[in-house]
Amino acid sequence: MSKKRKNWTLPQGAEPTAFDLRIMEFQDKGCLVPTRSLIKTPEQIEGIRRAGEINTAILDMIEEKIHEGMTTGEIDRLVAEFTERHGAVCAPLNYEGFPKHCCTSINEVVCHGIPSDEEELWDGDIINVDVTTIKDGYYADASRMFCIGKMKPRIQRLVDCAKECLEIGIQAAQPWHFVGEIGKAIEKHARKDGFSVVRDLAGHGTGNHFHEDPEVDHYDTGERGMLLVPGMVFTIEPMINMGTYEVFIDEEDGWTVVTEDEKPSAQWEHTFVMTDNGLEILTH
Ligand code: MF3
Ligand code: CO
Ligand code: CO
C-alpha cells in the first residue's frame, strides 16, 4: 500500500528548488518522504556534532573505568558527573519518567536497563551502556558493549556480530534510497550466525529532540520505509539476540526490556547524518 501522506510542502509562495523537486518526485510516486523539519541545517548538524563529541568522550571514559565488581549505579554517577563538568545534560534523566542518567543493560537485558547500586558486574557478563547527551539543545545518542572478564565464545560472537550488524546497516543506508534497506541488510547478517533481530524497538531520528522520525527498523519489514535525504540525522542501534527476537518489559520498573527466553542480547548504537556520499558518524 502506498503512503498518501504529503510530508514535503513548499514554503508559501516559494519556487521549488532542485532539492524540493527531487523529494516531491518520490512523494508523487507514493513514497514516504521526510518532513522539512527532519532535514537539519548546517548549524544544527554542527550542534549535534558537538553533543556527539561529549557523548563519545563519556563512553571513552566508561570504557577506561569499567571493571568486574563495579555496580551499574557507579557507571551512572560517572556519566552524570562527566556530563555536568562538560556543560551538558543527560537526556535519559526524567525522560518519560526514566529515573537515571544512562541505560545499563546486562546479558539478557536488551535495553533500557536502569542503573542500580545493587547490581554488580561479574566475570563473563556483557553490558550495554547507552548514553544520550544534550548540548546547547542538541541531542546525540550512542551505546557500546563491554565484556567483563572471560567470555564464552558464543557470547563473544554475539557481541561481535551486533557490531558488524551496525557496520552493515551503515553501508546499507544510502542517500535517495530507503530506510528499509538498513534492516534488510542487518537481518540477513544476524541470521548467518543463527541470531535474531529485535523487532519491538527501533533506531530513530534525533538531533533536535531525543526521538524523531524516521523509525529505523533493524529487521526486514518488507516495506521501503522513509526516503533517506541528505541532512537527515538518525541512529542505527541493532539489538541482536542469541535466541528468540521476542522481548518483554519488566512489569516492576516499567522500563527494563528483557529477552523472552532470557538468553543474551547485544547492541551497538551511533548517531549519523546522511550526506551526499552516505552516512557520517557524529558519535565517533
Ligand atoms: N538511548 C535509548 C535509545 O537509543 C533511549 C533510552 S530512553 C530512556 O533510543 F529513557 F530509557 F533513557
Ligand atoms: Co537511540
Ligand atoms: Co541510545
Side-chain angles (χ1 to χ4, degrees):
M1 251 219 309
S2 72
K3 296 270 190 336
K4 287 283 181 304
R5 252 195 285 168
K6 290 277 182 237
N7 274 346
W8 197 262
T9 54
L10 293 173
Q12 194 127 51
E15 282 301 311
T17 63
F19 185 74
D20 289 319
L21 289 171
R22 193 162 184 189
I23 294 173
M24 285 157 80
E25 198 178 307
F26 282 99
Q27 174 159 269
D28 292 344
K29 283 191 290 196
C31 298
L32 179 63
V33 303
T35 58
R36 200 172 281 278
S37 63
L38 298 184
I39 313 299
K40 269 62 176 182
T41 65
E43 293 74 15
Q44 290 171 330
I45 292 165
E46 280 319 298
I48 301 162
R49 193 189 305 283
R50 281 193 292 275
E53 282 164 6
I54 298 172
N55 207 70
T56 299
I58 296 167
L59 285 167
D60 288 346
M61 177 273 296
I62 294 299
E63 188 154 348
E64 228 170 76
K65 300 204 165 164
I66 200 163
H67 61 269
E68 192 181 338
M70 188 183 211
T71 69
T72 52
E74 287 173 64
I75 293 173
D76 193 69
R77 278 188 292 281
L78 288 171
V79 169
E81 285 159 20
F82 190 100
T83 304
E84 198 184 336
R85 261 192 284 125
H86 288 77
V89 171
C90 300
L93 184 66
N94 299 323
Y95 174 78
E96 293 181 5
F98 191 79
K100 295 286 178 178
H101 303 80
C102 63
C103 298
T104 50
S105 304
I106 299 178
N107 299 337
E108 73 279 6
V109 177
V110 174
C111 62
H112 302 171
I114 303 174
S116 160
D117 291 335
E118 312 297 301
E119 184 180 55
E120 264 182 36
L121 295 175
W122 292 341
D123 183 47
D125 280 346
I126 57 171
I127 177 173
N128 175 277
V129 179
D130 191 339
V131 176
T132 310
T133 300
I134 313 172
K135 177 67 174 173
D136 301 329
Y138 295 110
Y139 290 71
D141 185 8
S143 77
R144 295 182 197 167
M145 296 300 297
F146 302 106
C147 296
I148 308 300
K150 192 170 157 46
M151 284 291 112
K152 287 187 184 153
R154 184 73 177 152
I155 295 180
Q156 184 68 55
R157 182 63 207 131
L158 179 72
V159 170
D160 294 344
C161 179
K163 191 171 193 183
E164 292 161 11
C165 282
L166 174 53
E167 286 155 6
I168 278 161
I170 296 170
Q171 297 311 317
Q174 292 299 323
W176 308 105
H177 289 236
F178 290 89
V179 162
E181 291 164 41
I182 299 171
K184 204 190 261 185
I186 288 174
E187 181 166 354
K188 186 171 168 212
H189 188 68
R191 279 174 180 273
K192 285 183 202 160
D193 275 297
F195 299 141
S196 68
V197 182
V198 172
R199 298 175 169 229
D200 288 358
L201 298 120
H204 51 91
T206 191
N208 297 340
H209 309 277
F210 201 156
H211 294 113
E212 307 175 19
D213 276 343
E215 180 174 318
V216 181
D217 287 306
H218 304 107
Y219 67 102
D220 185 1
T221 62
E223 283 176 19
R224 269 182 305 196
M226 191 176 278
L227 181 70
L228 292 170
V229 175
M232 289 170 75
V233 172
F234 57 90
T235 72
I236 304 178
E237 47 182 299
M239 287 144 271
I240 307 301
N241 291 357
M242 182 93 86
T244 179
Y245 66 82
E246 304 244 40
V247 301
F248 67 93
I249 297 176
D250 184 305
E251 274 177 29
E252 261 163 46
D253 65 27
W255 278 102
T256 309
V257 179
V258 187
T259 56
E260 188 72 54
D261 56 12
E262 300 192 13
K263 291 185 180 172
S265 181
Q267 175 181 32
W268 296 79
E269 174 179 26
H270 274 307
T271 296
F272 309 91
V273 59
M274 181 55 78
T275 75
D276 292 322
N277 313 304
L279 289 181
E280 181 190 341
I281 304 180
L282 298 177
T283 47
H284 236 143

